[in-house]
Amino acid sequence: MSKCLETMFNEILFKNPVISASGTFGFGREYEAFYDLEKLGGLCTKGLTLEPKAGNKGIRLWETPAGLMNSIGLENPGIDAFIKNEWPHLKDVNTVTIINVGGKDEESYLKAIEKLNAVDAQLIELNISCPNVKAGGMAYGIKATTAGDITKKVVELSKHPVMVKLSPNGDAISEIALACEIAGAKGISLINTLQGMAIDYKKKSAVFNNLYAGLSGPAVKPIALRMTHQVCQAVTIPVMAMGGISTWEDALEFIMAGATCIQMGTMNFNNPMAPVEMIEGLEIYCQKEGLSNISEIRGII
Amino acid sequence: MAIIQSNDCLIPLIYKMSVDFTGAVLPGQFFMLRAWDKDPLLSRPISVHDYETGQLTFLYQVVGKGTEILSRLKPGDNVEIQGPYGNGFPEVSEDLCVVGGGIGVAPLHYLVKKYKEKNPQGTCRVYLGFRENSYGVEAFESMADEVILDIGGIITNRLKVNPGEVVMTCGPEMLMAAVANMVPPENKVYVSMEAHMACGIGACLGCTCETKSGNKKVCKDGPVFLREEVFYE
Ligand SMILES: Cc1cc2nc3c(=O)[nH]c(=O)nc-3n(C[C@H](O)[C@H](O)[C@H](O)COP(=O)(O)OP(=O)(O)OC[C@H]3O[C@@H](n4cnc5c(N)ncnc54)[C@H](O)[C@@H]3O)c2cc1C
Ligand SMILES: Cc1cc2nc3c(=O)[nH]c(=O)nc-3n(C[C@H](O)[C@H](O)[C@H](O)COP(=O)(O)O)c2cc1C
Ligand code: FES
């Protein structure tokens, strides 16, 4: 394989810049039926919390034109069960494993981070942007001050490099990103889902028990691209972009806007092979354009 | 990708589609179907209606955009099919009582067929309830020992389960709840649940169903559950 897609994200080497996004990829196992996970640049686990979490009740998924709304509510087995049942399998996969961590308050974030010091992961994605949990989650991620505070504490405690995942639902995203950089984050990922709403007119009721839910998929791409560009202009740490990315052409747009890596989420549901097709597409593009590395077109806009 | 052999309208809005497929398929399992690019975004879960080597058949109702697109496909067209997924109905050797409501009859055809293949001596009784028009009934009549049909009424009003029969049901949740409620506790009851699905393979946690033993994924742990797992309140 050529090295044209090899990408350094801070000090971490990715064999290519394509990573599957948190919550759309379980802990990887399910997709092994489709392809060898080692083809991926990396994979991001489902959002983990200190304690197991049952998630939200009622309808959790609702399709929209070119999009998907979800209200999973961070259902996950908890850090301990993850370390016991999933990590032994994941750690042997030859790709960058990113552990996504959520929390309901400062204490639960920090305890989770402390527990994860027991494993040798390459990168933590600090999720301060989940719109589907009542406590914590997005509450930390919509203000620069709180985002900076929690990031600082997590960075101090974690033995792993920390990338902070930002919400598109708060204050100016470039200011939040900058606060995270100053607090010691080694990277920024964005965007988490956009808060939306669905009403079932036939039932005369809101679709989701939580009223609001998170929108993802191609419908959000232009917003995600704009925010990626803004954040890339504002920070010097690398950016991992996502939001509606579905083809290698989309991936290129985000890289041209300044992203170092990209994540693919919702499109895994449309086509489980999408990340692999994207990697192939990017490789062919590099060859055709005569690029020795994809980074040559990074941030040209 | 599978090639469509036939796609026929049985009665308005009800279609039967056969595609080229060979593989191991259990009754009660489903496939994720897609015959479009990114609009709609998701594939549609559709149960196995029938299977023999080289031919997989679905029975589906047009209810929205996805199934409408499926209904317009012609023989020779391609359809993306992923599967089979899910656990399916268990294989049993007791007598079988099957209760289907509306399009919920779709998976029951292959169930009865397989049951009769494995248990030629076993008795299989089938209750079918439809709101207005029935479909697929003759096929059941040719396979089952008894078919009780109800159109426009409430099929569970007529349901009488014999001692020792295992009950398997698929249909609107109201119907399955009624079956779960009225069948004596001595009889085993299996229900086939429905949920909105994104991945179909257990990765998104969008199809979660609350059970007595915690959250289960309808796509992977189900869609078939024991009555006491899901209707326990
Ligand atoms: C395990 C399983 C097996 C099924 N087997 C059959 C079958 O054999 N024949 C059949 O006609 N139908 C079956 N269904 C229901 C079928 O999946 C839906 O009718 C179909 O997804 C509707 O898509 P649409 O685009 O036409 O409707 P829309 O209402 O436009 O769909 C919008 C979204 O809601 C979802 N959705 C809508 N209704 C349902 C539903 N009842 N269940 C799950 N998701 C839904 C769709 O998948 C889509 O994502 C099954 C469902 C499940 C979960
Ligand atoms: C079903 C579903 C579950 C998700 N769960 C998580 C999660 O646990 N943690 C997280 O940080 N993001 C989660 N996300 C957000 C995605 O990782 C991603 O940020 C978002 O969907 C935008 O990318 P996309 O348009 O490519 O999907 C989830 C998204 C979906 C659709
Ligand atoms: S549909 Fe994704 S977990 Fe069941």
Side-chain angles (χ1 to χ4, degrees), chain A residues 61, chain B residues 196-207 217-220:
Chain A
L61 297 170
Chain B
H196 283 224
M197 293 181 176
C199 69
I201 55 175
C204 74
L205 306 181
C207 66
K217 301 166 190 166
V218 171
C219 68
K220 204 172 171 185

Side-chain angles (χ1 to χ4, degrees), chain B residues 25-42:
Chain B
V25 180
L26 301 172
Q29 287 189 309
F30 65 94
F31 283 74
M32 297 293 283
L33 273 67
R34 184 163 66 90
W36 48 83
D37 184 22
K38 275 175 243 161
D39 180 28
L41 203 56
L42 302 175

Side-chain angles (χ1 to χ4, degrees), chain B residues 69-178:
Chain B
I69 297 174
L70 290 178
S71 75
R72 281 190 266 121
L73 298 175
K74 301 263 175 305
D77 286 351
N78 280 316
V79 58
E80 196 77 56
I81 61 166
Q82 266 177 48
Y85 291 147
N87 56 356
F89 288 105
E91 221 181 284
V92 297
S93 51
E94 295 92 335
D95 287 345
L96 183 64
C97 172
V98 169
V99 186
I103 195 64
V105 306
L108 303 178
H109 178 275
Y110 188 51
L111 170 68
V112 172
K113 176 170 147 181
K114 278 294 175 201
Y115 173 81
K116 273 297 186 183
E117 265 174 39
K118 298 250 158 73
N119 306 279
Q121 312 301 328
T123 304
C124 175
R125 303 187 309 116
V126 178
Y127 289 84
L128 301 175
F130 296 94
R131 215 172 283 160
E132 286 167 12
N133 297 305
S134 65
Y135 39 87
V137 178
E138 307 79 51
F140 282 103
E141 280 168 342
S142 71
M143 300 184 296
D145 297 277
E146 190 185 354
V147 176
I148 297 106
L149 178 66
D150 187 285
I151 297 175
I154 299 173
I155 186 72
T156 43
N157 286 349
R158 305 174 60 174
L159 179 63
K160 282 199 185 62
V161 174
N162 298 326
E165 271 180 342
V166 173
V167 181
M168 300 190 185
T169 178
C170 184
E173 200 164 314
M174 292 261 286
L175 167 94
M176 297 194 289

Side-chain angles (χ1 to χ4, degrees), chain A residues 152-218:
Chain A
K152 188 155 189 280
K153 289 177 178 143
V154 166
V155 166
E156 273 165 11
L157 188 65
S158 182
K159 73 166 198 188
H160 301 109
V162 176
M163 167 172 84
V164 186
K165 183 163 177 180
L166 301 187
S167 165
N169 304 308
D171 288 357
I173 199 157
S174 48
E175 284 167 25
I176 300 175
L178 190 58
C180 294
E181 175 172 26
I182 292 167
K186 293 274 191 257
I188 297 290
S189 59
L190 79 161
I191 58 175
N192 208 318
T193 53
L194 271 156
Q195 206 167 30
M197 182 179 191
I199 290 176
D200 187 338
Y201 79 92
K202 289 183 207 144
K203 293 188 180 150
K204 296 194 174 76
S205 66
V207 166
F208 296 104
N209 286 11
N210 263 2
L211 222 50
Y212 308 140
L215 176 67
S216 62

Side-chain angles (χ1 to χ4, degrees), chain A residues 37 117 124 220 254 297:
Chain A
L37 298 182
N117 280 342
I124 300 279
V220 310
F254 280 80
I297 49 120

